[in-house]
């Protein structure tokens, strides 16, 4: 049983007919915020960029147990926001660990953190261990 924000519960059952099995989800898992400013470098210094779409993805960093040997994410959170006029963004929904990423998109700009020959929209991996400030830069085309 899985639900975002709670520890996943895994039980192996032997069922030989109609069976009722109650599940109690584990204790809440800490969910953290990532925020910062998206800017571009100008001759006068960094300037915040309004209207950048910021996509965040977070996967609960748990080891799969038998028979769940899948490398996929058992509990994932996907969210988006758009930067305000100062370039500020805030996403609240990241699990602690290394299975997090942030991607930026805005017409007329490139994200220097992403390989232009790679898969579009993958973003960059991000390690989270608490509320995190992450200022990012885009480059005008």
């Amino acid at each position: 049983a899985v639900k975002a924000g709670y520890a996943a519960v895994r039980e192996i059952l032997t069922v030989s007919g109609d069976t009722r099995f109650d599940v109690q989800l584990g204790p809440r898992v800490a969910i953290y915020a990532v925020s910062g400013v998206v800017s571009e470098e100008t001759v006068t210094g960094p300037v915040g960029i309004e209207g950048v779409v910021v996509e965040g993805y977070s996967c609960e960093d748990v080891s799969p147990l038998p028979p769940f040997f899948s490398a996929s994410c058992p509990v994932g959170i996907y969210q988006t926001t758009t930067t305000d006029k100062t370039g500020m963004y805030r996403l609240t929904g990241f699990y602690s660990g290394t299975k997090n990423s942030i991607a930026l998109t805005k017409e007329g700009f490139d994200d220097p953190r992403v390989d232009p020959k790679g898969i579009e929209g993958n973003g960059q991996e991000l390690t989270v261990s608490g509320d995190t400030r992450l200022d990012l830069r885009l480059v005008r085309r």
Side-chain angles (χ1 to χ4, degrees), residues 29-35 54-60 77 79 89-97 99-102 126 128-132:
V29 175
I31 298 289
Y32 298 108
V34 175
S35 61
V54 182
E55 298 174 272
Y57 180 74
S58 185
C59 180
E60 187 177 8
I77 299 173
Q79 57 193 318
Y89 73 93
R90 180 175 174 82
L91 295 169
T92 55
F94 286 87
Y95 289 107
S96 180
K99 296 182 179 179
N100 302 292
S101 66
I102 291 215
L126 170 66
V128 173
S129 59
D131 288 342
T132 303

Side-chain angles (χ1 to χ4, degrees), residues 8-49:
V9 175
R10 296 181 177 115
E11 295 286 335
I12 297 173
L13 303 175
T14 302
V15 179
S16 59
D18 289 345
T19 303
R20 177 186 167 132
F21 180 75
D22 294 326
V23 175
Q24 184 173 357
L25 292 176
R28 283 191 64 81
V29 175
I31 298 289
Y32 298 108
V34 175
S35 61
V37 174
V38 179
S39 63
E40 69 173 314
E41 191 62 42
T42 69
V43 293
T44 60
V47 174
I49 306 170

Side-chain angles (χ1 to χ4, degrees), residues 4 25-26 31 33-34 46 50 53 64 69 74 82 85 89 94-95 99 102 108 116 119 129 137-139 141:
L25 292 176
I31 298 289
V34 175
E50 181 179 8
V53 175
F69 286 111
T82 305
K85 17 181 180 178
Y89 73 93
F94 286 87
Y95 289 107
K99 296 182 179 179
I102 291 215
I119 299 172
S129 59
R137 293 267 169 93
L138 290 179
V139 176
R141 288 188 202 136

